[in-house]
Amino acid sequence: MADDLTAGDALESAVAAAVDAGDAPADREAALMSLSAADLEAVIHARLESAGTVLTSGLAASPGAATGTVYFTADDAADAADRGEAVILVRTETTPADVHGMMVATGLLTTRGDLVSHAALVARGWGTPAVVGAGEITISGTTFAVGDTVVAEGDTISIDGSTGEVMLGAQGGAALPPPAAFFTVLGWADDVRRGHLAVRANADTAADAEKARMLGAEGIGLCRTEHMFLAPDRLPVMRAMILARTAQDEAVALDELGRVQRTDFAEILTVMDGLPVTVRLLDPPLHEFLPSVLDLEVKRAGPGLDDEEQRQLDAALDWAEHNPMIGTRGVRLAVIKPGLYAMQVRALLAAVHDRRDAGRHPLVEIMIPLTVSRAELALARSWVDEAAAAAGLDADARADISVGTMIETPRAALRAGELAEEADFFSFGTNDLTQLTYGFSRDDVGRRVIPAYLAHGVLPSNPFVTIDADAVGELVREATARGRAAKPGLRIGVCGEHGGDPASIELFHDAGLDYVSCSPFRVPIARLAAAQAVIAARRAR
Ligand code: PEP
Ligand code: MG
């Protein structure tokens, strides 16, 4: 557990040493090289005041400490938060259907999953402390047990997402403002990395975007638009679109979704005015927006289903897949339901119009997920171009809108040359690229396989945390070279979780990427790591 008295000391001493030495660029560089991500993390996240007895531990998935009362479902967590309680949501694992409970929780605890599980990704994105994969915990109804200790709904626990520890009772703690040395160090880091490696944030809402700007992000490298459809007021409309029986019903639901997206986009573009905002069109498989088949089957066997629920069950069964992460998702989903992307692009361009009318300067990058071939990207691009033509944007506005693709599969990486001919930019989705290069399911291997591989020395580190330099890194290098051979100057970044990992950032800099994009709370770490990568490369020359 971090000690309040020492948090920030490393930063203060590094700054003092540089200043004492004369404060020349070389002194500042030495100070930057002496620091680590942990030194920055120690001052930006809430810390526990007392060291309670550790009940159990899991993976430290999202840093910071939280104390709250335990609830086991997203609905109960949301109700408790409405009553003013600080809530720790405890789940086996989370899914998009839990987002309304996750949004209001002060901390998340799961018994399964790893550092790229849904809970971990969402928590890091929102800066919510989280411990995942706490495998000693057994949940049963409204209690959980670790050995003989039973914790019931409404009991208070504390979690430390920086260490992975779970404690009984309240341990206090709060986020304190970072010391001045934090800002000094990051200013020095920016001086070094400027013109070499930019740092953007993955942000899905205006609130995230604001956080990201405060922490120094130079734009948004990934806005996952699906998160806009998961809020409690939008999910029913998304479901209406999926359940639509006629083209007209589908069009009505799409229009309604487009209306809310336009507002969401306008808010984000306002916060990021003048900075690039990469908006990824819908990526996840549709069943993620429906209740689970299991829950509906259980209800059918009990009190029974009403008409709407029966239709949801039919749709959930219809869209269910054996391997949804390599099934009907990303651009493939759009080929099947082209109205979806057209609606998103219309909403985005309408927001661009609004901002320009207000005298602002929106810079938009429309990103297509999971493409694997030129033909596929050309088709998706044609929808964007049609919508842009229909939106009647003038040449100036059009020049500020680019269209690009994620590189998330080995095929896309190897065919980067042909993809570059249809793309204004690339962004490496290294979560999926790692999953598909290893053939490791990102939702499953964290529980048993990765720990066992690490214990046996089969893997040097978790490849979902630090990029695998030998193969995934090689694909990044190769795709960058092939993409730029076809289109010199192609803008290339990374928006997978690795974009906030210092060792991976060094590789991305060496590969020639223009920017990394990471969760808002990792932006300071990425700024420091980018500067360190620039210094290391210079020293190696
Ligand atoms: C990725 O695959 O790296 C990525 C950023 O997309 P997502 O995590 O949403 O699949
Ligand atoms: Mg992906």
Side-chain angles (χ1 to χ4, degrees):
M1 224 157 299
D3 175 348
D4 276 357
L5 293 174
T6 57
D9 279 2
L11 294 168
E12 308 278 7
S13 352
V15 170
V19 172
D20 289 349
D23 206 11
D27 305 319
R28 294 180 174 192
E29 287 190 0
L32 291 172
M33 294 307 269
S34 74
L35 293 167
S36 70
D39 297 324
L40 296 179
E41 280 197 320
V43 300
I44 43 182
H45 297 291
R47 299 176 288 279
L48 294 177
E49 270 159 17
S50 52
T53 310
V54 176
L55 174 64
T56 186
S57 56
L59 300 172
S62 177
T67 287
T69 42
V70 167
Y71 287 92
F72 293 93
T73 69
D75 287 346
D76 290 342
D79 290 346
D82 279 348
R83 295 192 299 270
E85 287 179 47
V87 170
I88 307 279
L89 177 61
V90 182
R91 302 281 292 157
T92 308
E93 35 195 357
T94 64
T95 71
D98 296 317
V99 162
H100 60 294
M102 300 168 78
M103 266 175 186
V104 296
T106 51
L108 300 172
L109 171 60
T110 68
T111 61
R112 285 202 201 149
D114 70 355
L115 297 174
V116 284
S117 62
H118 179 263
L121 286 185
V122 172
R124 276 202 295 281
W126 292 345
T128 306
V131 174
V132 302
E136 286 176 351
I137 293 180
T138 312
I139 299 178
S140 117
T142 53
T143 60
F144 78 72
V146 177
D148 294 338
T149 308
V150 176
V151 176
E153 179 181 276
D155 288 352
T156 298
I157 62 168
S158 298
I159 62 167
D160 189 334
S162 309
T163 61
E165 291 166 343
V166 180
M167 287 138 287
L168 291 175
Q171 309 299 333
L176 303 171
F182 173 82
F183 300 100
T184 306
V185 160
L186 290 175
W188 292 351
D190 292 347
D191 290 344
V192 170
R193 73 179 174 83
R194 198 164 291 122
H196 297 278
L197 192 62
V199 177
R200 301 192 194 177
N202 295 353
D204 309 329
T205 62
D208 286 353
E210 262 165 29
K211 229 179 283 162
R213 274 206 87 160
M214 261 166 40
L215 293 167
E218 298 163 297
I220 291 182
L222 174 63
C223 172
R224 290 178 166 103
T225 51
E226 58 267 24
H227 290 164
M228 297 173 178
F229 296 143
L230 289 164
D233 55 331
R234 287 93 188 273
L235 194 55
V237 191
M238 187 67 183
R239 288 180 177 168
M241 192 277 294
I242 299 170
L243 300 181
R245 289 197 176 113
T246 64
Q248 201 196 347
D249 287 352
E250 184 176 296
V252 170
L254 283 172
D255 274 355
E256 176 61 14
L257 287 173
R259 207 179 47 73
V260 291
Q261 283 233 298
R262 176 179 178 161
T263 313
D264 292 337
F265 288 142
E267 286 173 7
I268 291 173
L269 292 175
T270 303
V271 176
M272 285 286 162
D273 194 51
L275 296 175
V277 174
T278 309
V279 173
R280 181 180 71 186
L281 303 183
L282 200 73
D283 183 34
L286 284 189
H287 75 83
E288 287 197 7
F289 299 97
L290 295 166
S292 86
V293 170
L294 185 63
D295 288 351
L296 289 166
E297 296 278 21
V298 167
K299 188 152 187 224
R300 182 165 67 168
L305 300 178
D306 62 25
D307 279 359
E308 173 75 4
E309 288 166 334
Q310 184 58 51
R311 285 173 62 209
Q312 287 178 356
L313 177 57
D314 294 343
L317 288 168
D318 186 34
W319 285 100
E321 294 182 321
H322 290 290
N323 290 305
M325 290 301 273
I326 48 174
T328 312
R329 62 171 282 219
V331 66
R332 303 163 200 168
L333 177 60
V335 173
I336 290 165
K337 278 193 170 281
L340 259 180
Y341 278 14
M343 171 276 289
Q344 291 197 288
V345 174
R346 274 198 307 272
L348 181 56
L349 298 183
V352 166
H353 240 305
D354 295 346
R355 299 317 304 147
R356 288 183 70 89
D357 283 352
R360 300 305 177 94
H361 187 199
L363 281 176
V364 170
E365 299 176 344
I366 299 174
M367 184 156 77
I368 316 290
L370 222 68
T371 40
V372 294
S373 71
R374 182 212 311 261
E376 203 182 30
L377 184 56
L379 179 61
R381 185 169 189 138
S382 72
W383 303 324
V384 178
D385 290 341
E386 272 166 32
L393 296 175
D394 62 29
D396 269 3
R398 192 67 188 83
D400 286 343
I401 295 168
S402 45
V403 183
T405 183
M406 297 188 76
I407 302 289
E408 300 186 274
T409 67
R411 188 178 205 285
L414 294 174
R415 303 304 295 169
E418 66 178 53
L419 289 171
E421 288 172 14
E422 296 291 338
D424 303 322
F425 66 89
F426 282 173
S427 177
F428 287 100
T430 46
N431 303 332
D432 275 311
L433 191 57
T434 299
Q435 160 164 266
L436 295 166
T437 301
Y438 273 96
F440 277 171
S441 160
R442 59 195 264 196
D443 299 308
D444 298 307
V445 292
R447 192 164 158 226
R448 296 196 183 94
V449 178
I450 302 273
Y453 273 37
L454 294 174
H456 285 88
V458 177
L459 281 172
S461 57
N462 183 341
F464 287 102
V465 175
T466 295
I467 197 110
D468 156 46
D470 297 340
V472 184
E474 186 62 17
L475 287 170
V476 170
R477 284 183 220 279
E478 195 52 41
T480 301
R482 291 183 187 196
R484 293 220 176 107
K487 187 172 274 181
L490 182 72
R491 192 164 62 252
I492 306 183
V494 58
C495 62
E497 284 300 293
H498 305 85
D501 170 66
S504 311
I505 290 171
E506 184 167 6
L507 183 144
F508 298 138
H509 172 256
D510 290 346
L513 267 51
D514 298 303
Y515 68 87
V516 295
S517 187
C518 56
S519 309
F521 282 97
R522 292 193 76 79
V523 165
I525 291 163
R527 288 162 69 192
L528 173 64
Q532 290 173 334
V534 171
I535 297 166
R538 200 182 293 146
R539 288 181 179 174
R541 256 186 254 131

